[in-house]
Amino acid sequence: MKVIKFGGSSLATGSEVEKAINIVRADPARQVMVVSAPGKRFSGDVKVTDLLSELATATQAGQDTTTLVEQILVRYMTIADHFELDGQRVGDHFRNHLQTIAETDYPNSEFLFAAFLAQGEWMNAHLIAQIMAKLHLNARCVSPADLGMVVVGSPRQAQLAPSSYDRLADFPLIPGETIVVPGFFAFDQQGHIAMFARGGSDITGAILARGLGATLYENFTDVSAIYAADPHIIAHPRPINTLTYREMRELAYAGFSVFNDEAIIPAIQGNIRINIKNTNDPEAPGTMIAPTKEVNHHHLITGIAASDGYTVLYIHRYLLNREVGMTMKILQVLAKYHVSYDQMPGGIDDLSIIFAKKHLTTTIEAALTREITTAVAPDRLKWLPDLAIVEVVGEGLSHRTDLIARILTQLATVEIAPVIISQGAARINLTIGVDTTQAAAAVQALYALSEEEK
């Protein structure tokens, strides 16, 4: 049995939905279809999830939402019309459903937003199941609750409760039937909707692949492979045929948006391979993500990713390394304000804490500055606000003693002096912090190394 997931761009229009359904019907092993909300149809278009976010904001503010609701509904009605379903009937049903969502009482605004944002996937799953039934395919919509998925944590950053896997293992898959499952959300123990991280349909697919015992998790999107670098920076970069779980985790963290980095974890736990494929070219092999022992790399560097949007808190204090519990004091301040950090490289007198900007506000930065200053009395504390992370990833980093030296030499040739350099303990990645304005140039300078074969 295979789990197959389609991203929003693969389900944005009736013709795209038709391609997805044909891909499912082409392989009887594809019994579990995970769907996202309809994405952008063209450049400048708006995703349904973003429209639902606007709807949540307007609802909370008590504003008239009639026009916004109709803008959302027309996306589904147009898809229904493509398959000669009664689009008006579909629209009326979903309109009533959204009204019910709007009239529900929620514990707080976070749960309200989660409930609204989840409806893009919910409506799409119900519609696609109807379409497949009209096409005389044996399919039905199954909700995360029916599957026994229960989540814990915050309503907009939920995580699956481990006990859910026992219930998933007991879910009966009927031979010859396809279940259509909305991605991105599940329910907590109180029955409230909670979402996985953005891109959470990838996570849903991985959870189902592990819990239902899939032989393969196929993730269909709008690209034919994962590439060794961002095609917006490098023209026609090399496609990656295979990469390891941990390489994908590092690349996804640093900006490869093809696959959610959290979604790798259930696949690792279930030892399930992930195949990234193109809805518009389903016969292309795509990129296979697999356990390390199954991957035979031909290149020293697997991929280079860059992502801006980082901030560094630099702390200097003489004899920082001598005082027991110094780092703990800093972490306690971060925990007080519910702020997570990405990395924390340091020296005997210095510590740099790398944050994603999305985790910070001006108010939080001021509070961290004040309380860390009180807690550890640094000789110097400053924020470096515009940092980009360039991540060089590959199993070859642990095999060639000269490779890191060559990476830094390449950067020197274009006069880029890293702000931060950090190598992970697994020795498969090198994190290089540079000024945001230098990120693209750094990738361009390093890409030549990724072309070299072993």
Side-chain angles (χ1 to χ4, degrees):
M1 184 274 294
K2 299 176 183 177
V3 171
I4 183 169
K5 176 262 176 182
F6 291 95
S9 60
S10 298
L11 302 172
T13 66
S15 59
E16 293 298 319
V17 170
E18 187 172 356
K19 291 176 189 177
I21 291 173
N22 287 336
I23 289 169
V24 173
R25 74 198 307 180
D27 186 348
R30 291 168 174 154
Q31 280 193 267
V32 181
M33 180 184 186
V34 177
V35 301
S36 301
K40 293 183 179 181
R41 296 159 293 182
F42 47 81
S43 178
D45 195 17
V46 182
K47 299 177 182 179
V48 165
T49 301
D50 293 335
L51 292 173
L52 287 163
S53 180
E54 292 181 37
L55 181 60
T57 300
T59 299
Q60 189 176 34
Q63 299 170 353
D64 180 25
T65 60
T66 303
T67 301
L68 194 51
V69 167
E70 295 307 312
Q71 190 178 354
I72 293 167
L73 295 180
V74 75
R75 298 291 300 272
Y76 296 96
M77 294 166 66
T78 303
I79 293 172
D81 289 339
H82 178 88
F83 293 94
E84 299 183 351
L85 283 176
D86 187 341
Q88 189 60 52
R89 184 176 179 181
V90 168
D92 290 343
H93 175 62
F94 288 167
R95 185 181 296 104
N96 291 335
H97 176 71
L98 289 176
Q99 185 63 32
T100 300
I101 297 297
E103 293 173 352
T104 300
D105 290 328
Y106 299 97
N108 55 50
S109 62
E110 290 291 291
F111 281 103
L112 180 147
F113 270 84
F116 271 98
L117 266 62
Q119 300 317 307
E121 280 73 13
W122 185 92
M123 291 187 288
N124 221 20
H126 280 263
L127 177 57
I128 290 172
Q130 290 181 52
I131 292 168
M132 294 176 76
K134 186 178 187 297
L135 297 174
H136 306 292
L137 298 172
N138 187 7
R140 64 186 169 111
C141 181
V142 176
S143 83
D146 296 330
L147 291 161
M149 293 173 61
V150 174
V151 292
V152 295
S154 66
R156 298 175 75 173
Q157 289 282 336
Q159 294 182 323
L160 190 75
S163 59
S164 300
Y165 285 113
D166 293 332
R167 293 184 291 273
L168 280 167
D170 292 333
F171 183 84
L173 287 174
I174 301 171
E177 180 186 58
T178 300
I179 62 170
V180 184
V181 182
F184 193 30
F185 76 94
F187 297 85
D188 66 15
Q189 292 178 330
Q190 287 72 45
H192 299 300
I193 289 174
M195 305 180 307
F196 298 116
R198 196 71 184 258
S201 291
D202 289 346
I203 299 174
T204 299
I207 288 169
L208 296 183
R210 176 191 168 188
L212 298 173
T215 56
L216 181 67
Y217 173 24
E218 295 179 307
N219 192 292
F220 277 80
T221 181
D222 56 359
V223 296
S224 293
I226 296 172
Y227 295 96
D230 185 344
H232 296 99
I233 299 175
I234 303 294
H236 311 296
R238 169 177 55 83
I240 303 172
N241 296 323
T242 58
L243 72 166
T244 66
Y245 292 136
R246 58 184 186 171
E247 286 176 325
M248 186 68 247
R249 280 270 297 160
E250 295 290 349
L251 290 169
Y253 152 73
F256 275 31
S257 59
V258 176
F259 195 73
N260 184 293
D261 61 324
E262 289 186 33
I264 296 287
I265 298 171
I268 294 172
Q269 293 167 336
N271 202 38
I272 296 162
R273 293 174 302 145
I274 304 165
N275 197 183
I276 307 296
K277 303 194 75 172
N278 191 341
T279 308
N280 298 308
D281 188 12
E283 298 305 315
T287 297
M288 189 70 73
I289 307 169
T292 302
K293 64 182 180 182
E294 297 182 20
V295 177
N296 182 21
H297 285 306
H298 298 286
H299 296 82
L300 293 174
I301 294 173
T302 301
I304 303 167
S307 178
D308 57 13
Y310 290 91
T311 295
V312 176
L313 176 59
Y314 170 72
I315 300 170
H316 173 81
R317 177 178 164 177
Y318 290 113
L319 302 178
L320 184 71
N321 64 317
R322 296 282 185 91
E323 185 169 337
V324 176
M326 178 70 73
T327 304
M328 182 183 69
K329 293 177 183 178
I330 296 171
L331 293 179
Q332 286 174 333
V333 174
L334 299 184
K336 177 180 177 180
Y337 290 94
H338 305 286
V339 174
S340 62
Y341 68 93
D342 286 65
Q343 296 191 45
M344 191 185 289
I348 58 171
D349 297 323
D350 304 274
L351 194 64
S352 296
I353 309 174
I354 303 174
F355 302 94
K357 283 186 178 180
K358 63 184 178 181
H359 296 151
L360 298 174
T361 64
T362 302
T363 302
I364 290 176
E365 281 192 19
L368 295 181
T369 300
R370 182 178 62 254
E371 297 208 21
I372 290 174
T373 299
T374 300
V376 301
D379 297 310
R380 188 180 182 193
L381 182 152
K382 69 175 181 177
W383 291 90
L384 307 176
D386 295 311
L387 186 79
I389 293 295
V390 177
E391 198 81 8
V392 184
V393 177
E395 301 284 347
L397 284 169
S398 64
H399 300 147
R400 285 282 295 268
T401 56
D402 65 332
L403 193 51
I404 292 177
R406 293 182 63 196
I407 289 168
L408 297 179
T409 299
Q410 282 290 101
L411 293 178
T413 61
V414 292
E415 299 184 347
I416 294 177
V419 177
I420 290 172
I421 302 171
S422 175
Q423 184 177 30
R427 298 177 62 204
I428 66 160
N429 70 296
L430 185 68
T431 300
I432 304 168
V434 300
D435 188 271
T436 299
T437 60
Q438 297 178 313
V443 173
Q444 291 164 354
L446 296 175
Y447 182 71
L449 291 178
S450 77
E451 291 283 78
E452 292 188 18
E453 296 189 1
K454 289 182 179 180

